[in-house]
Amino acid sequence: FAHGSNDGQKGMGLIMLILVGTVPTAYALNHAVGTRQTQTFAAVSQQVVNTVENYVAPGTVVADNGVELEHFVSSHQFEPSTMLALQQMVGDIRNEAVGYGSLGKVPAAMQANVRNQMYLTSETLRLLPKYGPKVSANDQKVLDNYKGFLDVSTKFIPTWVKVAVALALGLGTMVGWKRIVVTVGEKIGKTHLT
């Protein structure tokens, strides 16, 4: 079981991809994020909106926030409109989260959309220090804190998935131990062990 829980990241990732793809209403967003966390998230979101305002060039306009952020994430080309798109996207996500009260109450038809917005914003925040404008240390802390909230909402694995993968790998190792021992003991390196 310890081996399975230690070596099961690939299996957990695959199962989560399948779950998000087949049952998005249950696994697209972390339903454990309740009303209290949503209120904290709203406050942190407002802090980010105010922080990003310092980096938005006057007179900048954006036609579509999502398209602008997708362009930045895929091409790594920062445009002045990227910060405005980020600011507006953060505001949109905040309004949706507060409007529904908690992530568990987001309507089924909207869950994939909210998840995509959160994931796109998180990826933008990940790439911003490398490709975006120079941000002060205090402002970067605010952005990192917000990114943490987004990741908790979208990058989660239910406990039952962790236990199932750990058990499967543990049982597989119990049954197929000889193949692993032969590979590790005899076939690794130029000079094989006897």
Side-chain angles (χ1 to χ4, degrees):
F1 184 81
H3 163 72
S5 61
N6 188 45
D7 203 27
Q9 296 90 339
K10 192 186 305 177
M12 293 177 206
L14 288 170
I15 289 175
M16 285 309 296
L17 278 173
I18 293 166
L19 289 174
V20 169
T22 57
V23 198
T25 55
Y27 295 104
L29 295 172
N30 188 354
H31 291 190
V33 177
T35 306
R36 224 169 86 213
Q37 291 97 332
T38 303
Q39 291 169 351
T40 306
F41 177 73
V44 171
S45 299
Q46 186 57 49
Q47 193 179 14
V48 171
V49 167
N50 296 339
T51 299
V52 173
E53 179 69 34
N54 300 328
Y55 302 94
V56 175
T60 308
V61 292
V62 173
D64 188 336
N65 304 333
V67 171
E68 184 66 38
L69 295 182
E70 284 173 17
H71 172 70
F72 172 67
V73 169
S74 63
S75 69
H76 299 163
Q77 292 179 344
F78 180 80
E79 305 286 341
S81 54
T82 303
M83 292 306 274
L84 179 60
L86 177 63
Q87 182 187 34
Q88 291 176 353
M89 185 68 84
V90 169
D92 291 346
I93 294 169
R94 178 201 59 212
N95 294 340
E96 288 168 350
V98 170
Y100 297 123
S102 73
L103 294 183
K105 294 179 182 173
V106 174
M110 288 293 294
Q111 292 221 1
N113 185 45
V114 173
R115 178 191 169 86
N116 289 343
Q117 288 176 327
M118 287 182 166
Y119 190 77
L120 188 58
T121 304
S122 177
E123 281 300 294
T124 301
L125 291 172
R126 183 181 68 81
L127 295 170
L128 214 52
K130 190 171 182 180
Y131 302 104
K134 181 73 177 143
V135 177
S136 71
N138 287 338
D139 289 348
Q140 190 60 49
K141 285 180 185 175
V142 170
L143 298 178
D144 290 342
N145 182 36
Y146 179 72
K147 184 179 182 315
F149 273 91
L150 292 178
D151 290 346
V152 164
S153 302
T154 57
K155 298 177 182 177
F156 71 100
I157 298 175
T159 306
W160 71 266
V161 172
K162 295 176 185 176
V163 171
V165 170
L167 282 174
L169 282 172
L171 291 171
T173 304
M174 284 174 63
V175 173
W177 63 271
K178 188 171 182 180
R179 182 174 173 195
I180 295 167
V181 170
V182 167
T183 301
V184 172
E186 295 179 8
K187 296 183 179 176
I188 292 181
K190 292 180 181 176
T191 306
H192 299 312
L193 299 174
T194 58

mmCIF file of all heavy atoms in Angstrom, residues 72-105:
data_model
loop_
_atom_site.group_PDB
_atom_site.id
_atom_site.type_symbol
_atom_site.label_atom_id
_atom_site.label_comp_id
_atom_site.label_asym_id
_atom_site.label_seq_id
_atom_site.Cartn_x
_atom_site.Cartn_y
_atom_site.Cartn_z
ATOM 1 N N PHE A 72 -1.935 34.189 -24.768
ATOM 2 C CA PHE A 72 -0.747 34.359 -23.925
ATOM 3 C C PHE A 72 -0.199 33.011 -23.464
ATOM 4 O O PHE A 72 1.006 32.759 -23.521
ATOM 5 C CB PHE A 72 -1.075 35.242 -22.716
ATOM 6 C CG PHE A 72 0.041 35.313 -21.711
ATOM 7 C CD1 PHE A 72 1.239 35.937 -22.032
ATOM 8 C CD2 PHE A 72 -0.103 34.757 -20.459
ATOM 9 C CE1 PHE A 72 2.284 35.991 -21.110
ATOM 10 C CE2 PHE A 72 0.924 34.806 -19.537
ATOM 11 C CZ PHE A 72 2.121 35.430 -19.855
ATOM 12 N N VAL A 73 -1.085 32.112 -23.022
ATOM 13 C CA VAL A 73 -0.646 30.808 -22.517
ATOM 14 C C VAL A 73 -0.020 29.970 -23.623
ATOM 15 O O VAL A 73 0.994 29.299 -23.416
ATOM 16 C CB VAL A 73 -1.833 30.059 -21.856
ATOM 17 C CG1 VAL A 73 -1.491 28.614 -21.575
ATOM 18 C CG2 VAL A 73 -2.249 30.754 -20.570
ATOM 19 N N SER A 74 -0.592 30.012 -24.826
ATOM 20 C CA SER A 74 -0.076 29.167 -25.908
ATOM 21 C C SER A 74 1.166 29.755 -26.586
ATOM 22 O O SER A 74 2.085 29.031 -26.949
ATOM 23 C CB SER A 74 -1.161 28.908 -26.945
ATOM 24 O OG SER A 74 -1.564 30.128 -27.541
ATOM 25 N N SER A 75 1.226 31.080 -26.739
ATOM 26 C CA SER A 75 2.333 31.689 -27.478
ATOM 27 C C SER A 75 3.419 32.275 -26.579
ATOM 28 O O SER A 75 4.515 32.560 -27.054
ATOM 29 C CB SER A 75 1.800 32.798 -28.385
ATOM 30 O OG SER A 75 1.338 33.888 -27.601
ATOM 31 N N HIS A 76 3.108 32.483 -25.294
ATOM 32 C CA HIS A 76 4.029 33.110 -24.333
ATOM 33 C C HIS A 76 4.397 34.526 -24.760
ATOM 34 O O HIS A 76 5.462 35.019 -24.410
ATOM 35 C CB HIS A 76 5.301 32.278 -24.146
ATOM 36 C CG HIS A 76 5.039 30.907 -23.613
ATOM 37 N ND1 HIS A 76 5.947 29.908 -23.679
ATOM 38 C CD2 HIS A 76 3.959 30.357 -23.000
ATOM 39 C CE1 HIS A 76 5.464 28.801 -23.151
ATOM 40 N NE2 HIS A 76 4.244 29.068 -22.737
ATOM 41 N N GLN A 77 3.524 35.162 -25.529
ATOM 42 C CA GLN A 77 3.751 36.544 -25.961
ATOM 43 C C GLN A 77 2.852 37.467 -25.150
ATOM 44 O O GLN A 77 1.630 37.418 -25.266
ATOM 45 C CB GLN A 77 3.470 36.697 -27.447
ATOM 46 C CG GLN A 77 4.458 35.967 -28.327
ATOM 47 C CD GLN A 77 4.137 36.119 -29.798
ATOM 48 O OE1 GLN A 77 3.041 36.519 -30.158
ATOM 49 N NE2 GLN A 77 5.102 35.798 -30.641
ATOM 50 N N PHE A 78 3.491 38.283 -24.311
ATOM 51 C CA PHE A 78 2.746 39.201 -23.456
ATOM 52 C C PHE A 78 2.350 40.440 -24.246
ATOM 53 O O PHE A 78 3.160 41.035 -24.947
ATOM 54 C CB PHE A 78 3.589 39.595 -22.246
ATOM 55 C CG PHE A 78 2.879 40.534 -21.314
ATOM 56 C CD1 PHE A 78 1.958 40.065 -20.404
ATOM 57 C CD2 PHE A 78 3.136 41.900 -21.373
ATOM 58 C CE1 PHE A 78 1.292 40.939 -19.556
ATOM 59 C CE2 PHE A 78 2.479 42.776 -20.526
ATOM 60 C CZ PHE A 78 1.561 42.293 -19.617
ATOM 61 N N GLU A 79 1.082 40.808 -24.128
ATOM 62 C CA GLU A 79 0.552 42.025 -24.741
ATOM 63 C C GLU A 79 0.023 42.918 -23.621
ATOM 64 O O GLU A 79 -0.329 42.421 -22.547
ATOM 65 C CB GLU A 79 -0.604 41.683 -25.701
ATOM 66 C CG GLU A 79 -0.269 40.677 -26.781
ATOM 67 C CD GLU A 79 0.597 41.251 -27.883
ATOM 68 O OE1 GLU A 79 0.638 42.494 -28.012
ATOM 69 O OE2 GLU A 79 1.251 40.463 -28.587
ATOM 70 N N PRO A 80 -0.050 44.225 -23.834
ATOM 71 C CA PRO A 80 -0.615 45.097 -22.797
ATOM 72 C C PRO A 80 -2.038 44.696 -22.397
ATOM 73 O O PRO A 80 -2.447 44.882 -21.249
ATOM 74 C CB PRO A 80 -0.607 46.485 -23.456
ATOM 75 C CG PRO A 80 0.447 46.404 -24.495
ATOM 76 C CD PRO A 80 0.457 44.978 -24.980
ATOM 77 N N SER A 81 -2.776 44.117 -23.343
ATOM 78 C CA SER A 81 -4.158 43.732 -23.048
ATOM 79 C C SER A 81 -4.239 42.465 -22.185
ATOM 80 O O SER A 81 -5.310 42.151 -21.657
ATOM 81 C CB SER A 81 -4.922 43.518 -24.356
ATOM 82 O OG SER A 81 -4.233 42.588 -25.176
ATOM 83 N N THR A 82 -3.128 41.744 -22.006
ATOM 84 C CA THR A 82 -3.151 40.507 -21.211
ATOM 85 C C THR A 82 -3.529 40.792 -19.765
ATOM 86 O O THR A 82 -4.319 40.063 -19.163
ATOM 87 C CB THR A 82 -1.780 39.797 -21.279
ATOM 88 O OG1 THR A 82 -1.459 39.538 -22.641
ATOM 89 C CG2 THR A 82 -1.805 38.495 -20.507
ATOM 90 N N MET A 83 -2.973 41.862 -19.200
ATOM 91 C CA MET A 83 -3.270 42.179 -17.799
ATOM 92 C C MET A 83 -4.736 42.581 -17.615
ATOM 93 O O MET A 83 -5.359 42.200 -16.624
ATOM 94 C CB MET A 83 -2.339 43.286 -17.289
ATOM 95 C CG MET A 83 -0.886 42.862 -17.178
ATOM 96 S SD MET A 83 -0.626 41.365 -16.201
ATOM 97 C CE MET A 83 -0.517 42.013 -14.563
ATOM 98 N N LEU A 84 -5.281 43.323 -18.574
ATOM 99 C CA LEU A 84 -6.695 43.695 -18.485
ATOM 100 C C LEU A 84 -7.575 42.460 -18.590
ATOM 101 O O LEU A 84 -8.552 42.308 -17.846
ATOM 102 C CB LEU A 84 -7.052 44.708 -19.573
ATOM 103 C CG LEU A 84 -8.510 45.163 -19.612
ATOM 104 C CD1 LEU A 84 -8.894 45.836 -18.299
ATOM 105 C CD2 LEU A 84 -8.756 46.091 -20.790
ATOM 106 N N ALA A 85 -7.229 41.543 -19.513
ATOM 107 C CA ALA A 85 -7.992 40.296 -19.657
ATOM 108 C C ALA A 85 -7.921 39.481 -18.362
ATOM 109 O O ALA A 85 -8.930 38.920 -17.927
ATOM 110 C CB ALA A 85 -7.452 39.485 -20.828
ATOM 111 N N LEU A 86 -6.742 39.424 -17.743
ATOM 112 C CA LEU A 86 -6.582 38.706 -16.476
ATOM 113 C C LEU A 86 -7.447 39.328 -15.393
ATOM 114 O O LEU A 86 -8.163 38.628 -14.671
ATOM 115 C CB LEU A 86 -5.114 38.709 -16.057
ATOM 116 C CG LEU A 86 -4.790 38.069 -14.710
ATOM 117 C CD1 LEU A 86 -5.137 36.585 -14.717
ATOM 118 C CD2 LEU A 86 -3.320 38.274 -14.361
ATOM 119 N N GLN A 87 -7.420 40.644 -15.308
ATOM 120 C CA GLN A 87 -8.215 41.339 -14.298
ATOM 121 C C GLN A 87 -9.708 41.055 -14.472
ATOM 122 O O GLN A 87 -10.417 40.753 -13.508
ATOM 123 C CB GLN A 87 -7.945 42.845 -14.384
ATOM 124 C CG GLN A 87 -8.697 43.657 -13.338
ATOM 125 C CD GLN A 87 -8.538 45.150 -13.556
ATOM 126 O OE1 GLN A 87 -8.456 45.611 -14.703
ATOM 127 N NE2 GLN A 87 -8.512 45.901 -12.475
ATOM 128 N N GLN A 88 -10.175 41.125 -15.717
ATOM 129 C CA GLN A 88 -11.603 40.891 -15.973
ATOM 130 C C GLN A 88 -11.989 39.437 -15.723
ATOM 131 O O GLN A 88 -13.073 39.157 -15.210
ATOM 132 C CB GLN A 88 -11.943 41.323 -17.399
ATOM 133 C CG GLN A 88 -11.868 42.817 -17.596
ATOM 134 C CD GLN A 88 -12.120 43.246 -19.032
ATOM 135 O OE1 GLN A 88 -12.240 42.420 -19.932
ATOM 136 N NE2 GLN A 88 -12.186 44.552 -19.262
ATOM 137 N N MET A 89 -11.083 38.500 -16.062
ATOM 138 C CA MET A 89 -11.364 37.084 -15.833
ATOM 139 C C MET A 89 -11.455 36.782 -14.341
ATOM 140 O O MET A 89 -12.326 36.029 -13.898
ATOM 141 C CB MET A 89 -10.295 36.219 -16.490
ATOM 142 C CG MET A 89 -10.580 34.734 -16.411
ATOM 143 S SD MET A 89 -12.004 34.202 -17.395
ATOM 144 C CE MET A 89 -11.257 34.010 -18.993
ATOM 145 N N VAL A 90 -10.556 37.364 -13.559
ATOM 146 C CA VAL A 90 -10.591 37.176 -12.097
ATOM 147 C C VAL A 90 -11.915 37.701 -11.547
ATOM 148 O O VAL A 90 -12.550 37.064 -10.699
ATOM 149 C CB VAL A 90 -9.388 37.874 -11.421
ATOM 150 C CG1 VAL A 90 -9.559 37.907 -9.903
ATOM 151 C CG2 VAL A 90 -8.087 37.180 -11.792
ATOM 152 N N GLY A 91 -12.350 38.853 -12.045
ATOM 153 C CA GLY A 91 -13.642 39.400 -11.619
ATOM 154 C C GLY A 91 -14.803 38.506 -11.999
ATOM 155 O O GLY A 91 -15.735 38.294 -11.207
ATOM 156 N N ASP A 92 -14.760 37.945 -13.218
ATOM 157 C CA ASP A 92 -15.828 37.041 -13.668
ATOM 158 C C ASP A 92 -15.903 35.787 -12.792
ATOM 159 O O ASP A 92 -16.994 35.356 -12.393
ATOM 160 C CB ASP A 92 -15.607 36.630 -15.129
ATOM 161 C CG ASP A 92 -15.810 37.780 -16.109
ATOM 162 O OD1 ASP A 92 -16.381 38.821 -15.692
ATOM 163 O OD2 ASP A 92 -15.383 37.641 -17.271
ATOM 164 N N ILE A 93 -14.739 35.204 -12.506
ATOM 165 C CA ILE A 93 -14.708 33.992 -11.673
ATOM 166 C C ILE A 93 -15.241 34.302 -10.281
ATOM 167 O O ILE A 93 -16.013 33.527 -9.713
ATOM 168 C CB ILE A 93 -13.275 33.421 -11.602
ATOM 169 C CG1 ILE A 93 -12.832 32.921 -12.976
ATOM 170 C CG2 ILE A 93 -13.192 32.292 -10.579
ATOM 171 C CD1 ILE A 93 -11.354 32.577 -13.055
ATOM 172 N N ARG A 94 -14.847 35.449 -9.728
ATOM 173 C CA ARG A 94 -15.338 35.846 -8.403
ATOM 174 C C ARG A 94 -16.849 35.982 -8.406
ATOM 175 O O ARG A 94 -17.537 35.479 -7.509
ATOM 176 C CB ARG A 94 -14.690 37.174 -7.993
ATOM 177 C CG ARG A 94 -15.180 37.689 -6.629
ATOM 178 C CD ARG A 94 -14.944 39.177 -6.459
ATOM 179 N NE ARG A 94 -15.643 39.902 -7.502
ATOM 180 C CZ ARG A 94 -15.222 41.047 -8.027
ATOM 181 N NH1 ARG A 94 -14.094 41.586 -7.631
ATOM 182 N NH2 ARG A 94 -15.923 41.647 -8.966
ATOM 183 N N ASN A 95 -17.385 36.645 -9.414
ATOM 184 C CA ASN A 95 -18.833 36.849 -9.486
ATOM 185 C C ASN A 95 -19.580 35.520 -9.595
ATOM 186 O O ASN A 95 -20.641 35.347 -8.972
ATOM 187 C CB ASN A 95 -19.180 37.753 -10.667
ATOM 188 C CG ASN A 95 -18.646 39.159 -10.490
ATOM 189 O OD1 ASN A 95 -18.343 39.576 -9.370
ATOM 190 N ND2 ASN A 95 -18.504 39.890 -11.577
ATOM 191 N N GLU A 96 -19.035 34.572 -10.375
ATOM 192 C CA GLU A 96 -19.685 33.268 -10.506
ATOM 193 C C GLU A 96 -19.648 32.507 -9.189
ATOM 194 O O GLU A 96 -20.648 31.930 -8.755
ATOM 195 C CB GLU A 96 -19.007 32.455 -11.612
ATOM 196 C CG GLU A 96 -19.313 32.981 -12.999
ATOM 197 C CD GLU A 96 -18.428 32.377 -14.073
ATOM 198 O OE1 GLU A 96 -17.445 31.692 -13.734
ATOM 199 O OE2 GLU A 96 -18.713 32.610 -15.266
ATOM 200 N N ALA A 97 -18.484 32.503 -8.525
ATOM 201 C CA ALA A 97 -18.352 31.761 -7.264
ATOM 202 C C ALA A 97 -19.269 32.348 -6.194
ATOM 203 O O ALA A 97 -19.967 31.613 -5.483
ATOM 204 C CB ALA A 97 -16.901 31.779 -6.790
ATOM 205 N N VAL A 98 -19.299 33.667 -6.085
ATOM 206 C CA VAL A 98 -20.142 34.317 -5.070
ATOM 207 C C VAL A 98 -21.617 34.160 -5.429
ATOM 208 O O VAL A 98 -22.456 33.923 -4.560
ATOM 209 C CB VAL A 98 -19.762 35.812 -4.945
ATOM 210 C CG1 VAL A 98 -20.764 36.563 -4.085
ATOM 211 C CG2 VAL A 98 -18.364 35.953 -4.360
ATOM 212 N N GLY A 99 -21.930 34.253 -6.713
ATOM 213 C CA GLY A 99 -23.327 34.136 -7.148
ATOM 214 C C GLY A 99 -23.934 32.785 -6.812
ATOM 215 O O GLY A 99 -25.105 32.702 -6.438
ATOM 216 N N TYR A 100 -23.142 31.714 -6.922
ATOM 217 C CA TYR A 100 -23.656 30.375 -6.640
ATOM 218 C C TYR A 100 -23.483 29.988 -5.172
ATOM 219 O O TYR A 100 -24.103 29.044 -4.704
ATOM 220 C CB TYR A 100 -22.972 29.341 -7.535
ATOM 221 C CG TYR A 100 -23.251 29.562 -9.002
ATOM 222 C CD1 TYR A 100 -22.217 29.742 -9.910
ATOM 223 C CD2 TYR A 100 -24.555 29.617 -9.481
ATOM 224 C CE1 TYR A 100 -22.470 29.955 -11.260
ATOM 225 C CE2 TYR A 100 -24.813 29.828 -10.818
ATOM 226 C CZ TYR A 100 -23.775 30.003 -11.707
ATOM 227 O OH TYR A 100 -24.037 30.212 -13.042
ATOM 228 N N GLY A 101 -22.636 30.689 -4.428
ATOM 229 C CA GLY A 101 -22.475 30.421 -3.001
ATOM 230 C C GLY A 101 -21.367 29.442 -2.672
ATOM 231 O O GLY A 101 -20.676 29.589 -1.687
ATOM 232 N N SER A 102 -21.201 28.409 -3.472
ATOM 233 C CA SER A 102 -20.107 27.446 -3.301
ATOM 234 C C SER A 102 -19.917 26.715 -4.620
ATOM 235 O O SER A 102 -20.793 26.739 -5.481
ATOM 236 C CB SER A 102 -20.405 26.452 -2.182
ATOM 237 O OG SER A 102 -21.387 25.532 -2.585
ATOM 238 N N LEU A 103 -18.758 26.063 -4.764
ATOM 239 C CA LEU A 103 -18.480 25.364 -6.022
ATOM 240 C C LEU A 103 -19.413 24.174 -6.227
ATOM 241 O O LEU A 103 -19.692 23.786 -7.358
ATOM 242 C CB LEU A 103 -17.024 24.902 -6.057
ATOM 243 C CG LEU A 103 -15.980 26.023 -6.091
ATOM 244 C CD1 LEU A 103 -14.584 25.438 -6.188
ATOM 245 C CD2 LEU A 103 -16.229 26.978 -7.243
ATOM 246 N N GLY A 104 -19.907 23.607 -5.145
ATOM 247 C CA GLY A 104 -20.840 22.486 -5.249
ATOM 248 C C GLY A 104 -22.193 22.890 -5.815
ATOM 249 O O GLY A 104 -22.945 22.055 -6.311
ATOM 250 N N LYS A 105 -22.518 24.191 -5.742
ATOM 251 C CA LYS A 105 -23.819 24.674 -6.215
ATOM 252 C C LYS A 105 -23.777 25.231 -7.635
ATOM 253 O O LYS A 105 -24.787 25.709 -8.146
ATOM 254 C CB LYS A 105 -24.348 25.743 -5.258
ATOM 255 C CG LYS A 105 -24.672 25.207 -3.876
ATOM 256 C CD LYS A 105 -25.164 26.301 -2.953
ATOM 257 C CE LYS A 105 -25.439 25.752 -1.562
ATOM 258 N NZ LYS A 105 -25.756 26.821 -0.603
#
